[in-house]
Amino acid sequence: MTTTLWAVADLHAAVKANKPRIDAILPADPSDWLIVAGDVAEKMDLIVRTMKQLVERFDTVIWSPGNHELFSRSTDRYRGREKYSALVQALREIGVITPEDPYPVFHGVTIAPLFTLYDYSFRGAGMTVEEAVAAAREKNLMMTDEFAIAPFVDVRAWCWDRLAYTTKRLSRIDGPTILVNHWPLVQEPIQRLQWPEIGLWCGTRHTRGWGRRYNAQKVIYGHLHMPGVITVDDTEHIEVSLGYPREWQSRAETFPWPYPVMEVES
């Protein structure tokens, strides 16, 4: 019997056409695990409902939040850091492993769900954050994050808090890891974007060496809606996004999804 660790990201469950794809996320064996690397949905009730469906199918479900989970309006009960805390509590209650929980071990490999955000450091050389954001605004390339996350929290400060918290936890791990984050940990995938200005909202330079430093066999991420594998410093960085229908309908079915991250004979 084979047990598989699967991975998906960017389910965008509020999009009606994505529902059949989400319904088709099924284990090959009841012992299979599933990684969900962020952007499940925006509204808390839909996030929890979607994750509960996956919990009912898989032995273990591991979640890292994306930017869409953090989207808020001024009238929402929870915003910014409070929304993240509320999501962690709600998902814990249905059995999901979050970045605030002990890291699970899958057949000798520690699976580390991370939450690092972004700090606008994926920007052009010599530009300040303000200059880079202004340049993106001039090209009408502003991400929704600037209107649905940034008004409610200092994103850069939160990112740096998360980096300090996460490095402390990762430094305590012995043995091989699989790192899971919604945003890419390295800048190479950003270089494939049609509009490089979008990189401002795509991660932080401070995670650059984490794959090697923390003995990662693989790094799993989403966010860019460009599924595929790149190798950086001898570590595979694998994007496992579904994305929006116009994206996944136009892709050739050459990249496996859900992605089989690791298989073991049990």
Side-chain angles (χ1 to χ4, degrees):
M1 183 175 69
T2 299
T3 298
T4 304
L5 172 65
W6 302 93
V8 296
D10 299 78
L11 300 179
H12 296 289
V15 180
K16 185 177 180 180
N18 280 8
K19 187 179 186 303
R21 298 297 303 269
I22 297 171
D23 290 343
I25 300 172
L26 299 169
D29 186 90
S31 64
D32 288 358
W33 289 26
L34 179 68
I35 290 167
V36 182
D39 278 8
V40 176
E42 295 77 24
K43 294 183 178 180
M44 189 173 301
D45 60 342
L46 180 55
I47 297 167
V48 174
R49 189 163 67 249
T50 303
M51 293 298 291
K52 190 172 188 297
Q53 293 172 351
L54 298 174
V55 167
E56 291 169 351
R57 301 172 196 168
F58 288 83
D59 179 88
T60 301
V61 176
I62 301 163
W63 169 78
S64 286
N67 52 317
H68 280 250
E69 279 97 336
L70 304 176
F71 283 0
S72 303
R73 298 167 295 182
S74 58
T75 55
D76 288 344
R77 179 181 179 186
Y78 299 113
R79 297 167 295 180
R81 297 188 189 224
E82 288 185 351
K83 184 173 185 184
Y84 173 63
S85 296
L87 272 171
V88 167
Q89 182 59 36
L91 292 178
R92 279 174 167 172
E93 289 175 359
I94 63 171
V96 175
I97 296 173
T98 80
E100 309 311 307
D101 297 311
Y103 295 146
V105 178
F106 182 81
H107 295 269
V109 179
T110 299
I111 314 300
L114 315 178
F115 172 41
T116 61
L117 281 162
Y118 55 92
D119 62 359
Y120 305 95
S121 57
F122 288 168
R123 62 181 185 270
M127 301 181 76
T128 66
V129 171
E130 293 73 21
E131 290 170 344
V133 173
R137 183 181 291 110
E138 288 178 5
K139 295 184 179 181
N140 293 318
L141 293 174
M142 296 293 284
M143 293 283 281
T144 306
D145 301 41
E146 287 300 295
F147 313 104
I149 301 177
F152 310 113
V153 66
D154 184 332
V155 177
R156 280 188 286 173
W158 196 8
C159 173
W160 298 332
D161 287 347
R162 295 300 309 183
L163 292 172
Y165 169 79
T166 306
T167 53
K168 183 180 293 186
R169 292 194 66 194
L170 290 175
S171 67
R172 298 171 182 158
I173 299 174
D174 290 323
T177 67
I178 290 174
L179 303 182
V180 180
N181 198 47
H182 178 65
W183 296 268
L185 298 185
V186 296
Q187 200 164 357
E188 279 79 351
I190 312 302
Q191 296 166 357
R192 298 162 52 204
L193 292 172
Q194 183 176 358
W195 298 288
E197 290 84 359
I198 292 175
L200 291 169
W201 298 275
C202 293
T204 169
R205 294 175 183 173
H206 298 290
T207 58
R208 170 75 198 184
W210 283 17
R212 175 174 291 179
R213 185 188 311 168
Y214 299 117
N215 198 20
Q217 292 189 341
K218 296 177 182 179
V219 174
I220 305 299
Y221 69 99
H223 191 59
L224 303 181
H225 296 191
M226 297 189 299
V229 183
I230 65 169
T231 300
V232 179
D233 295 334
D234 299 322
T235 301
E236 286 187 341
H237 292 246
I238 306 164
E239 180 170 351
V240 294
S241 299
L242 176 62
Y244 297 114
R246 66 179 181 274
E247 296 165 330
W248 56 258
Q249 288 172 354
S250 65
R251 287 196 293 260
E253 296 296 329
T254 56
F255 185 78
W257 193 92
Y259 187 85
V261 178
M262 182 177 169
E263 297 180 351
V264 294
E265 295 294 329
S266 57

